[in-house]
Amino acid sequence: MQEHNLHVYNTLTRTKEKFEPFSPPFVGMYVCGPTVYGDPHLGHARPYITFDVVSRYLRHLGYKVRYVRNITDVGHLVNDADEGEDKIGKKAKADQLEPMEIVQMYTNSFHDAMRALGNIPPSIEPSAAGHIPEQIKMVQEILDAGLAYESNGSVYFDVEKYAKTNDYGKLSGKVLEDLISSQEREGVRNLDGQSEKRSSLDFAIWKKANPEHIMRWESPWSDGFPGWHLECSVMSRKYLNFPFDIHGGGMDLQFPHHECEIAQGKAATGIDPVKYWMHNNMITLDGKKMGKSYGNGINLDQFFTGDHPLLKQAYSPMTVRFYILMAHYRSTLDFSNEALQSAQKAMQRLFNAISSLNDVKPSGSSTFNVQEWVNECYAVLDDDFNTAQLLALLFESVKVINQLKDGQTKLTEADLDLFKEKVNLFVFDILGLKDEEAQSGNQEEVDGLIKMLLKLRQDAKLSKDYATSDAIRDEIQALGFKILDGKDGSSWERQS
RNA sequence: GGCGCGGUGGCCGAGUGGUUAGGCAGCGGUCUGCAAAACCGUUUACACGGGUUCAACUCCCGUCCGUGCCUCCA
């Protein structure tokens, strides 16, 4: 395993801590996955790209990462439905489809979007519906520990009792008294099951299903379904064991979801389940938060096709990925056409420089300190995965590459090899970017053909037949290629 | 109302108690038959009001604004 100085920001302590997993070289990482009842949207892009880079970097450092990300396909109530219907069940009835058909459909489209964004699939992607027995078992464990109670067929976690001996709120910074008074101020909530609870803070770990509820399972307490926080506790425990190293998710999940995960896990096992809690920040759109009520929710597919009133053009999946990586994961990030267009251009410039790196010839001496640059790249990644700074350093490398081409900067063969290796490592392996344009399989044939045309154009220029040379250039450009005239002849690249 | 996070130049976005972020856009130059590209140089900053300090964009307090949570939405 590589020596490193990786520090990660731990929400639990609100500080950056040196990363030291429980049993190196193994690292367990759990990230809250999607609820598959709708198309993947922009809000899905950020957490999964963030933790994709985290897993890529950890693996690069030599860790054996087991990355677990769940598929939520069960048991969550519809926000605006007073009957407490299962979200997936409701959609199924509306569309006249089997619930599991819906689940499969949106799981597939989620996977498609993730693949397009360049995310490596997790090691294990367990589904909540596939872990009902384990969830029933954990409910029983919490009951046995005396930290939950049954009420009318449902089982609720007893928050106030748990809080007597545990710090409920340590992750989110909530104070129990504040929560109570805040809820009193809000008045009595009319949500289903409120009267069954001893305290409004208590949350369901097993919920009795209404008669019309489609997705339901037998349990010792009722025909019903597991509570909304339970699956993550159960599946992270099953595949990573408590305590495990990293738990990730969006900042919006801090409370109550992750706070409840800690409470449940501790109640059931006596073990504080997670060492490092990592939270990515939210995305805004033209400075406003996204949401259905704002009419600015955009599906990922709409980004990729440009088919949305707020989008002036299509943005490729890599442009979205690049743009997200231009900001630090703990900052809010604002999406706008202007910002995405600038990201698209910047990314193309980066790729163009990298592809031209292969043509650079080594020199007898070096005028650029490659090793120092490499060290800086590692230093910024070690500082809580600062991809924004890494990209700044990579644009420094773009400048260096261009100077190498012009002969203004020189590198020895050893330095050049190191430089090439590390530029490729950071851009493609760690940031997970892909040069989509260069993916076509007949790259070499195209290169040969265009170079032949450039030769003809050069001949025309030498005989001052500019009409012909310009015609060749215009035709090539019309096909989507740019002609770059340099001191040592012409080269070409694809137009962004 | 409570808890948390943030307000950086035309736009996006890093970072720091005293020294260049970076990208996109703009401007000037080199190169070029012209153009593009590339390269060089360069203009616009740290919400507002106090305070601490030799020194604050960076620390503290207040105000305003944005945002997340306080809802069985994961």
Side-chain angles (χ1 to χ4, degrees):
Chain A
M1 212 169 51
Q2 195 166 325
E3 276 294 306
H4 69 77
N5 190 33
L6 175 62
H7 284 65
V8 304
Y9 182 88
N10 190 350
T11 308
L12 216 43
T13 58
R14 314 266 162 182
T15 56
K16 290 177 193 168
E17 299 175 18
K18 170 105 171 123
F19 182 67
E20 288 168 333
F22 287 112
S23 30
F26 300 101
V27 171
M29 177 164 90
Y30 188 92
V31 176
C32 291
T35 302
V36 282
Y37 69 92
D39 287 316
H41 53 80
L42 186 57
H44 289 118
R46 173 102 108 143
Y48 305 131
I49 287 171
T50 297
F51 292 104
D52 183 58
V53 171
V54 168
S55 72
R56 285 166 180 269
Y57 188 52
L58 290 173
R59 285 182 178 131
H60 169 68
L61 292 178
Y63 289 111
K64 310 272 185 253
V65 179
R66 181 180 290 168
Y67 174 11
V68 180
R69 187 179 67 205
N70 62 295
I71 293 283
T72 294
D73 53 0
V74 61
H76 299 290
L77 305 173
V78 178
N79 210 6
D80 49 6
D82 19 325
E83 298 84 24
E85 240 178 330
D86 187 297
K87 238 181 188 179
I88 288 160
K90 172 161 183 165
K91 183 89 176 165
K93 278 192 280 189
D95 294 359
Q96 294 298 307
L97 293 168
E98 277 297 314
M100 290 314 283
E101 205 174 355
I102 305 280
V103 164
Q104 190 65 55
M105 186 170 86
Y106 288 120
T107 300
N108 290 345
S109 62
F110 175 72
H111 286 159
D112 289 346
M114 290 300 108
R115 196 175 306 117
L117 289 170
N119 290 333
I120 296 171
S123 323
I124 302 176
E125 195 170 41
S127 77
H131 295 75
I132 299 296
E134 290 90 337
Q135 297 190 71
I136 289 173
K137 179 170 170 258
M138 190 178 271
V139 172
Q140 189 59 56
E141 286 171 332
I142 298 170
L143 279 167
D144 292 346
L147 290 168
Y149 55 90
E150 186 188 344
S151 177
N152 192 25
S154 294
V155 182
Y156 294 97
F157 191 90
D158 192 335
V159 170
E160 290 185 42
K161 186 168 179 191
Y162 171 83
K164 281 181 183 150
T165 49
N166 293 278
D167 185 0
Y168 183 82
K170 68 175 178 177
L171 179 69
S172 56
K174 302 282 186 200
V175 180
L176 205 60
E177 293 77 56
D178 292 346
L179 287 170
I180 294 166
S181 62
S182 148
Q183 302 209 338
E184 279 169 355
R185 193 185 59 80
E186 300 270 327
V188 179
R189 291 169 300 173
N190 293 319
L191 294 163
D192 182 50
Q194 277 309 299
S195 57
E196 298 171 353
K197 295 200 224 172
R198 290 179 190 166
S199 159
S200 60
L201 295 178
D202 296 347
F203 55 90
I205 51 181
W206 186 265
K207 193 83 177 78
K208 182 181 177 180
N210 290 324
E212 65 274 18
H213 201 101
I214 295 177
M215 298 184 96
R216 55 169 64 211
W217 290 267
E218 283 180 26
S219 79
W221 313 284
S222 63
D223 273 15
F225 50 93
W228 63 308
H229 313 298
L230 202 63
E231 58 176 282
C232 291
S233 291
V234 162
M235 296 190 285
S236 61
R237 178 190 181 188
K238 174 164 183 175
Y239 298 110
L240 299 173
N241 285 324
F242 288 174
F244 60 93
D245 301 301
I246 298 175
H247 191 128
M251 243 173 56
D252 51 336
L253 299 179
Q254 255 173 43
F255 190 90
H257 184 56
H258 290 159
E259 198 71 60
C260 293
E261 270 190 67
I262 293 175
Q264 287 169 347
K266 184 87 185 292
T269 66
I271 300 168
D272 211 337
V274 178
K275 185 167 186 183
Y276 302 99
W277 283 92
M278 293 178 66
H279 292 97
N280 63 276
N281 214 319
M282 312 310 285
I283 283 174
T284 56
L285 204 59
D286 288 322
K288 286 177 296 217
K289 68 174 168 184
M290 284 189 305
K292 287 187 188 117
S293 53
Y294 291 79
N296 63 355
I298 305 186
N299 293 337
L300 283 169
D301 263 343
Q302 292 174 313
F303 265 98
F304 304 159
T305 60
D307 180 22
H308 190 282
L310 291 175
L311 299 176
K312 289 187 183 148
Q313 62 169 84
Y315 300 100
S316 73
M318 275 306 127
T319 301
V320 172
R321 185 181 184 94
F322 184 90
Y323 184 62
I324 284 175
L325 294 174
M326 273 175 67
H328 185 83
Y329 74 90
R330 282 191 289 112
S331 301
T332 53
L333 176 61
D334 189 51
F335 267 65
S336 63
N337 283 287
E338 204 177 355
L340 282 164
Q341 282 163 358
S342 83
Q344 188 180 42
K345 284 181 192 166
M347 181 173 69
Q348 198 54 52
R349 196 158 81 85
L350 177 64
F351 286 149
N352 288 340
I354 291 172
S355 66
S356 68
L357 189 50
N358 290 320
D359 302 331
V360 173
K361 301 281 183 292
S363 302
S365 60
S366 293
T367 58
F368 171 70
N369 192 331
V370 177
Q371 189 58 53
E372 193 175 295
W373 176 83
V374 170
N375 292 345
E376 283 178 48
C377 289
Y378 278 108
V380 298
L381 280 172
D382 281 344
D383 185 13
D384 198 30
F385 309 96
N386 197 328
T387 57
Q389 288 208 310
L390 180 60
L391 280 170
L393 286 164
L394 285 166
F395 278 103
E396 198 177 290
S397 83
V398 168
K399 193 173 261 186
V400 170
I401 290 168
N402 290 326
Q403 289 172 346
L404 284 167
K405 278 196 295 187
D406 287 3
Q408 294 178 39
T409 295
K410 298 180 193 309
L411 288 180
T412 62
E413 188 160 4
D415 277 345
L416 186 59
D417 287 346
L418 178 67
F419 191 47
K420 282 183 194 170
E421 179 202 327
K422 294 301 184 184
V423 166
N424 281 284
L425 168 78
F426 290 121
V427 172
F428 300 114
D429 297 342
I430 291 177
L431 293 181
L433 295 168
K434 274 189 298 229
D435 191 351
E436 292 156 317
E437 299 298 322
Q439 293 304 306
S440 62
N442 47 11
Q443 185 76 6
E444 281 181 30
E445 289 91 330
V446 172
D447 186 57
L449 287 168
I450 295 184
K451 279 192 174 148
M452 187 184 80
L453 289 166
L454 290 178
K455 170 99 174 38
L456 291 174
R457 172 165 167 266
Q458 187 59 29
D459 293 344
K461 278 169 74 174
L462 286 174
S463 52
K464 298 215 186 296
D465 180 5
Y466 295 125
T468 302
S469 70
D470 286 356
I472 292 173
R473 180 177 66 191
D474 293 347
E475 294 281 322
I476 293 177
Q477 285 183 338
L479 291 170
F481 303 97
K482 255 191 289 194
I483 304 307
L484 314 175
D485 290 339
K487 281 186 175 140
D488 308 316
S490 303
S491 59
W492 66 277
E493 65 186 32
R494 285 171 195 272
Q495 217 134 26
S496 51

